[in-house]
């Protein structure tokens, strides 16, 4: 007789928020592949963008910061039943795995090039690098107060580098580009390029703060007090974003300015810098996210239940939805008579994308809904499998 399977415990509010963010993330990837391309259709180009196009992009700004923050929360929860060294080794191995997955699995999705002449390092690289740094801190037995202090200094102070002249050449310049000022392109060989889209250090600040907030999810921590802390922190960050944006002097290298009408002036106000993530960008996104995290705790409705399904399998959904969107893109280009495997746009050397191809936004939204519906049952099956099985590799997928 087989022993009964043991269900793994998960924090539902975290899965709900993560799932919601993943659904929004899907919209952004559908827009990137299905919508018209070119400067005219750039969502943040104040001269040409529309309100609908801008907010289609703007809402997806929440994805990366919340993803990284919740990864920090999950790292703390993963350490509850592990020793400090065990958690350190787990985080460093998982971080390395995410970097390899980004460089190989995700890069191939973009390039469709098995020779990997162009490698893209994006959000998985940022999460993986941040996990390795957190793992090193745990290996050095850094206490929680020190981790939170380091995270706070990075989070609130990294934009101070915008006020000084940084090295432009030499080893110092390379390190700064990798850790602080990316996007950057590196050429390790004459025939291979690496695009680092996400600078590691600002995202590490987000993860370390997430790790600190993870301590509020200990069993002994009062749930009502936790919700109050999340709500107050969310309001404070949102208020700081508005204050700093009104001052228009620190926290983002790109200032806002009056536009051709009041609505586009508001768009300029909200158009903060993601690459690398500015303090204003992080406050603008994490502030409301913390408030939502407070509000959804204990939430019981069909939409929250659906979000939990996607949020319980983040890596699985992330990879599968990207390849599904990419497959739909290939099918649509084939219907249009384009062989995407032979197309390489000079404007986008890291992405196999047909110049001039695309559909209007309403098609993007239809594809978005289609992808979400298709992946619901696979995600529910895999989530149930993860909860009822304990194979070591499940911790990495």
């Amino acid at each position: 007789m087989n022993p009964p399977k043991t269900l793994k415990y998960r924090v539902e509010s975290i899965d709900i928020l993560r799932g919601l963010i993943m659904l929004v993330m899907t919209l952004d990837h559908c827009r990137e592949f299905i919508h018209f391309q070119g400067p005219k259709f750039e969502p943040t180009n104040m001269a040409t963008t529309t309100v609908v196009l801008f907010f289609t992009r703007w809402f997806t700004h929440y994805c990366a910061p919340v993803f990284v923050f919740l990864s920090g929360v999950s790292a703390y929860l993963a350490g509850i039943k592990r020793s400090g060294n065990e958690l350190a080794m787990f985080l460093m191995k998982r971080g390395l795995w995410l970097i390899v997955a980004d460089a190989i699995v995700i890069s191939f999705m973009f390039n469709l090039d098995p020779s990997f002449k162009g490698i893209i390092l994006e959000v998985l690289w940022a999460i993986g690098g941040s996990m390795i740094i957190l793992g090193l801190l745990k290996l050095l037995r850094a206490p929680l107060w020190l981790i939170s202090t380091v995270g706070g200094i990075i989070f609130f102070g990294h934009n101070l580098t915008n006020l000084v002249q940084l090295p432009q050449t030499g080893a110092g310049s390379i390190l700064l580009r990798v850790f602080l000022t990316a996007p950057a392109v590196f050429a390790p060989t004459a025939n291979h390029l690496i695009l680092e889209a996400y600078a590691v250090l600002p995202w590490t600040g987000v993860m370390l703060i997430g790790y600190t907030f993870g301590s509020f999810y200990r069993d002994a921590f009062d749930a009502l007090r936790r919700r109050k802390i999340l709500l107050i922190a969310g309001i404070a960050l949102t208020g700081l974003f508005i204050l700093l944006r009104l001052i228009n002097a620190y926290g983002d290298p790109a200032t806002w300015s009056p536009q051709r009408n009041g609505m586009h002036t508001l768009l300029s106000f909200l158009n903060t810098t993601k690459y690398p993530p500015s303090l204003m960008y992080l406050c603008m996104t994490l502030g409301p996210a913390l408030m939502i995290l407070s509000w959804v705790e204990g939430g019981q409705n069909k939409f929250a239940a659906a979000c939990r399904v996607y949020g319980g399998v983040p890596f699985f959904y992330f990879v599968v939805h990207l390849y599904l969107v990419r497959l739909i893109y290939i099918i649509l280009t084939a219907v249009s008579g384009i062989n995407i495997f032979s197309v390489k746009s000079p404007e986008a050397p890291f992405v196999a994308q047909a110049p001039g191809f695309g559909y209007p936004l309403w098609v993007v939204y239809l594809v978005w809904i289609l992808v979400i519906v298709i992946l619901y049952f696979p995600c529910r099956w895999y989530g149930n499998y993860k909860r009822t099985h304990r194979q070591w590799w499940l911790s990495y997928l």
Side-chain angles (χ1 to χ4, degrees):
M1 182 176 178
N2 293 327
K5 295 177 180 178
T6 302
L7 296 179
K8 295 180 181 178
Y9 172 74
R10 298 189 66 91
V11 179
E12 288 190 349
S13 58
I14 293 175
D15 282 344
I16 292 172
L17 178 58
R18 184 188 284 119
L20 175 62
I21 288 301
M22 287 160 57
L23 298 184
V24 175
M25 170 190 66
T26 306
L27 174 61
D28 191 42
H29 294 143
C30 289
R31 179 193 60 80
E32 286 183 337
F33 282 108
I34 308 302
H35 192 234
F36 298 115
Q37 302 297 311
K40 180 181 178 181
F41 302 99
E42 173 56 45
T44 57
N45 184 346
M46 291 298 112
T48 59
T49 193
T50 64
V51 174
V52 175
L53 177 59
F54 178 88
F55 279 108
T56 298
R57 171 56 174 154
W58 183 82
F59 280 119
T60 66
H61 276 325
Y62 285 82
C63 301
V66 175
F67 238 66
V68 178
F69 175 84
L70 293 181
S71 294
V73 175
S74 297
Y76 184 92
L77 298 177
I80 290 178
K81 295 184 179 181
R82 291 180 170 93
S83 69
N85 286 346
E86 288 173 342
L87 177 61
M89 296 309 298
F90 169 74
L91 290 174
M92 288 190 285
K93 287 188 292 185
R94 181 167 173 79
L96 182 60
W97 155 244
L98 290 176
I99 292 173
V100 171
D102 212 9
I104 297 176
V105 180
I106 305 304
S107 288
F108 179 76
M109 183 278 304
F110 279 112
N111 269 314
L112 303 175
D113 179 10
S115 66
F116 293 98
K117 292 180 180 178
I119 293 176
I120 303 177
L121 300 176
E122 294 195 305
V123 68
L124 293 185
W125 148 264
I127 295 175
S130 299
M131 278 187 174
I132 292 174
I133 293 173
L134 176 57
L136 290 172
L137 288 171
K138 293 301 297 181
L139 196 63
L140 295 172
R141 293 180 169 80
L144 183 62
W145 69 264
L146 180 58
I147 292 175
S148 61
T149 300
V150 172
I153 291 173
I154 296 173
F155 187 94
F156 293 104
H158 73 275
N159 276 133
L160 289 172
T161 56
N162 298 134
L163 307 178
V164 298
Q165 181 66 39
L166 299 175
Q168 301 299 309
T169 59
S173 171
I174 295 174
L175 290 174
L176 283 170
R177 281 186 289 165
V178 170
F179 286 100
L180 198 60
T181 63
V185 177
F186 301 94
T189 72
N191 297 318
H192 292 83
L193 295 174
I194 298 175
L195 170 61
E196 184 199 359
Y198 282 63
V200 174
L201 205 56
W203 296 107
T204 299
V206 176
M207 177 167 288
L208 297 185
I209 290 177
Y211 182 85
T212 303
F213 273 76
S215 65
F216 303 146
Y217 287 90
R218 300 190 309 269
D219 288 340
F221 204 92
D222 180 68
L224 181 58
R225 183 183 174 208
R226 173 174 59 246
R227 293 183 64 185
K228 287 182 178 179
I229 292 173
L230 291 170
L231 183 59
I232 292 171
I235 293 172
L237 284 180
T238 304
L240 180 61
F241 158 69
I242 295 173
L243 177 62
L244 288 176
R245 203 61 170 152
L246 287 172
I247 295 173
N248 220 17
Y250 174 74
D252 198 295
T255 58
W256 67 277
S257 60
Q259 301 296 312
R260 59 184 182 272
N261 55 50
M263 193 63 202
H264 277 73
T265 298
L266 174 62
L267 302 188
S268 177
F269 188 87
L270 296 175
N271 188 28
T272 53
T273 303
K274 179 181 180 181
Y275 303 102
S278 68
L279 172 60
M280 289 188 194
Y281 171 87
L282 295 175
C283 290
M284 178 185 73
T285 51
L286 287 176
L290 289 176
M291 288 188 274
I292 294 173
L293 190 58
S294 172
W295 294 331
V296 300
E297 187 163 337
Q300 298 292 334
N301 56 63
K302 292 183 178 180
F303 180 70
C307 288
R308 283 202 305 272
V309 169
Y310 299 105
V313 289
F315 183 83
F316 174 84
Y317 181 86
F318 183 80
V319 173
V320 175
H321 99 276
L322 278 173
Y323 272 85
L324 178 56
V325 173
R326 187 56 151 156
L327 176 61
I328 293 172
Y329 174 81
I330 292 172
I331 292 172
L332 291 176
T333 55
V335 170
S336 302
I338 301 170
N339 180 4
I340 190 59
F341 295 95
S342 63
V343 171
K344 180 74 73 169
S345 170
E347 292 79 20
F350 292 93
V351 182
Q353 202 158 15
F357 173 82
Y359 288 85
L361 273 178
W362 67 267
V363 178
V364 172
Y365 278 85
L366 285 179
V367 173
W368 174 49
I369 295 171
L370 176 65
V371 170
I372 290 172
V373 171
I374 289 175
L375 292 183
Y376 177 80
F377 289 104
C379 287
R380 191 173 72 171
W381 169 83
Y382 186 59
N384 289 332
Y385 185 88
K386 285 189 69 175
R387 282 191 295 272
T388 56
H389 292 75
R390 291 188 175 275
Q391 291 93 329
W392 65 269
W393 51 267
L394 289 173
S395 297
Y396 295 87
L397 300 178

